[in-house]
Amino acid sequence: MKLQPLLLLIFIGKFAFAQTQGVWTKPVTTWKYDLGANTGTGVLNSGIGYTTETTGGNRVSTASSNQGFLPYPPSGSAMLSNIATPPVGTGEWSLENYLSSASIKFISSRAGRVAKFSLYNIGNASPVSSFFYKISFADANVDVMDWRFGIGLTNGRVNQLNNTTAGIPGNTSKTSFPNFFATLRWAAKGSEIPFSYCYRGVEADGESEGNTYERKLNGATFSKGGTYNMEFYCNNSSGDQHYLRNKVDYAVPANSFHIWVNSVQLTANGSPNIGSYQLVPNLKLDAFVFQGSTSIPAKAAVCYISDFLVNQVQNPLK
């Protein structure tokens, strides 16, 4: 039986993406999250979503023990949360097939109200890990939106990656975020969606020591209705780490990371080596979080996220 042309193109596209993902040159373990497993109370394509809008709070799925809305992750916990302190968050989530992938549909919170989707306490975590996922921004009549993504450490504790009382870094926060290795932001006003990363300021160029600032990332253009395969190669160890991508060797310096979007490597200030945010060097990376905190008009900012994969180098300094 022959595949229909559209299905064949989708298959080829997914296969090509899998083949071009970078591979660490040292042995790894792999963590892969299946959003279509239907082991939570939410069922793929059921049309029934989840929100904590009336009370704040959260809903957690823990590997094979605590059943929340989302499927069990292979290890660790998956959490949906609206900030519980006023103004209470208004995010909503559902599970849908989108562009041939089981996806979480994330409807952002309104302006100034935080909603988060967190995956944390991932097993076999390492200071050197690569993170992959696909994100699509709905082609909607949205004027302003603010999506953020962070990578860091929870290590069995509650902090800014997985709590219900705080958001994650953005320009020009004066708050300390010691558990974040990397934080990124899509903040759209108008037709395009600028993509930036956060860093800690120093007493130079008009910046204040310890404040959070943002710098634009170059190489990819994000837009409403677009779909993007995201790749993050993160090195929180004290030495260079290498990965192969399309048979080319890339070195990630200590306490830095690389980003690829739809097979294009991004740069900041002309360099692909992006400095880490605040996490102490050599600590493991066992968590990541997505945040939606602005939608104007309300409920217009929507994204679909899928195809989660983490590869963890088990002995980075050997």
Side-chain angles (χ1 to χ4, degrees), residues 38 41-51 69 92-97 103 105 107 304:
N38 288 336
T41 61
V43 176
L44 189 68
N45 296 326
S46 68
I48 300 174
Y50 176 73
T51 182
F69 180 80
E92 299 178 13
W93 302 267
S94 59
L95 294 167
E96 297 183 11
N97 269 322
S103 307
K105 179 183 180 181
I107 300 175
Y304 296 84

Side-chain angles (χ1 to χ4, degrees), residues 32-187:
K32 187 176 182 179
Y33 189 29
D34 181 6
L35 285 168
N38 288 336
T39 54
T41 61
V43 176
L44 189 68
N45 296 326
S46 68
I48 300 174
Y50 176 73
T51 182
T52 60
E53 181 172 352
T54 56
T55 60
N58 64 67
R59 189 68 178 269
V60 180
S61 295
T62 303
S64 300
S65 61
N66 187 66
Q67 187 183 45
F69 180 80
L70 293 175
Y72 298 132
S75 64
S77 299
M79 183 182 77
L80 301 175
S81 63
N82 277 310
I83 195 166
T85 51
V88 173
T90 59
E92 299 178 13
W93 302 267
S94 59
L95 294 167
E96 297 183 11
N97 269 322
Y98 188 78
L99 298 180
S100 76
S101 295
S103 307
I104 183 164
K105 179 183 180 181
F106 190 160
I107 300 175
S108 179
S109 216
R110 288 178 287 179
R113 305 180 180 203
V114 171
K116 291 193 291 192
F117 163 41
S118 305
L119 289 157
Y120 56 96
N121 293 337
I122 295 171
N124 297 313
S126 163
V128 180
S129 298
S130 49
F131 296 79
F132 305 93
Y133 59 88
K134 180 169 69 178
I135 187 167
S136 301
F137 299 101
D139 187 8
N141 183 28
V142 57
D143 297 322
V144 182
M145 62 183 181
D146 185 344
W147 296 103
R148 305 185 197 187
F149 170 66
I151 296 170
L153 171 70
T154 51
N155 200 27
R157 297 186 294 271
V158 175
N159 58 39
Q160 289 149 323
L161 284 103
N162 63 344
N163 66 17
T164 61
T165 58
I168 63 178
N171 188 49
T172 54
S173 173
K174 296 178 173 58
T175 304
S176 177
F177 292 85
N179 298 293
F180 280 86
F181 170 82
T183 67
L184 295 304
R185 186 181 191 184
W186 296 271

Side-chain angles (χ1 to χ4, degrees), residues 7-313:
L7 292 176
L8 182 60
L9 286 172
I10 290 172
F11 173 80
I12 291 171
K14 288 173 70 72
F15 181 78
F17 176 56
Q19 294 302 298
T20 58
Q21 287 180 350
V23 178
W24 295 108
T25 58
K26 296 176 181 177
V28 302
T29 56
T30 295
W31 181 96
K32 187 176 182 179
Y33 189 29
D34 181 6
L35 285 168
N38 288 336
T39 54
T41 61
V43 176
L44 189 68
N45 296 326
S46 68
I48 300 174
Y50 176 73
T51 182
T52 60
E53 181 172 352
T54 56
T55 60
N58 64 67
R59 189 68 178 269
V60 180
S61 295
T62 303
S64 300
S65 61
N66 187 66
Q67 187 183 45
F69 180 80
L70 293 175
Y72 298 132
S75 64
S77 299
M79 183 182 77
L80 301 175
S81 63
N82 277 310
I83 195 166
T85 51
V88 173
T90 59
E92 299 178 13
W93 302 267
S94 59
L95 294 167
E96 297 183 11
N97 269 322
Y98 188 78
L99 298 180
S100 76
S101 295
S103 307
I104 183 164
K105 179 183 180 181
F106 190 160
I107 300 175
S108 179
S109 216
R110 288 178 287 179
R113 305 180 180 203
V114 171
K116 291 193 291 192
F117 163 41
S118 305
L119 289 157
Y120 56 96
N121 293 337
I122 295 171
N124 297 313
S126 163
V128 180
S129 298
S130 49
F131 296 79
F132 305 93
Y133 59 88
K134 180 169 69 178
I135 187 167
S136 301
F137 299 101
D139 187 8
N141 183 28
V142 57
D143 297 322
V144 182
M145 62 183 181
D146 185 344
W147 296 103
R148 305 185 197 187
F149 170 66
I151 296 170
L153 171 70
T154 51
N155 200 27
R157 297 186 294 271
V158 175
N159 58 39
Q160 289 149 323
L161 284 103
N162 63 344
N163 66 17
T164 61
T165 58
I168 63 178
N171 188 49
T172 54
S173 173
K174 296 178 173 58
T175 304
S176 177
F177 292 85
N179 298 293
F180 280 86
F181 170 82
T183 67
L184 295 304
R185 186 181 191 184
W186 296 271
K189 289 186 178 180
S191 59
E192 291 191 357
I193 306 175
F195 189 43
S196 60
Y197 77 98
C198 293
Y199 65 95
R200 300 288 283 180
V202 296
E203 291 293 342
D205 299 325
E207 297 178 350
S208 298
E209 181 77 30
N211 281 11
T212 294
Y213 297 93
E214 296 181 30
R215 184 172 289 131
K216 183 181 178 182
L217 290 158
N218 301 304
T221 300
F222 292 84
S223 61
K224 299 170 189 177
T227 295
Y228 305 94
N229 292 310
M230 308 296 300
E231 307 172 42
F232 299 84
Y233 301 88
C234 302
N235 177 17
N236 199 41
S237 77
S238 53
D240 288 359
Q241 301 293 330
H242 292 255
Y243 63 95
L244 291 173
R245 194 180 187 286
N246 286 341
K247 300 181 181 180
V248 178
D249 182 278
Y250 295 89
V252 187
N255 315 126
S256 301
F257 61 103
H258 287 179
I259 305 175
W260 293 74
V261 177
N262 287 351
S263 295
V264 176
Q265 189 172 27
L266 304 192
T267 61
N269 281 348
S271 172
N273 303 319
I274 302 164
S276 61
Y277 179 68
Q278 196 175 355
L279 186 67
V280 172
N282 293 312
L283 293 182
K284 64 185 180 181
L285 307 174
D286 73 350
F288 56 100
V289 56
F290 296 87
Q291 172 182 300
S293 57
T294 300
S295 180
I296 302 175
K299 309 297 184 184
V302 178
C303 71
Y304 296 84
I305 321 168
S306 65
D307 299 351
F308 299 106
L309 177 70
V310 182
N311 289 327
Q312 308 139 316
V313 175

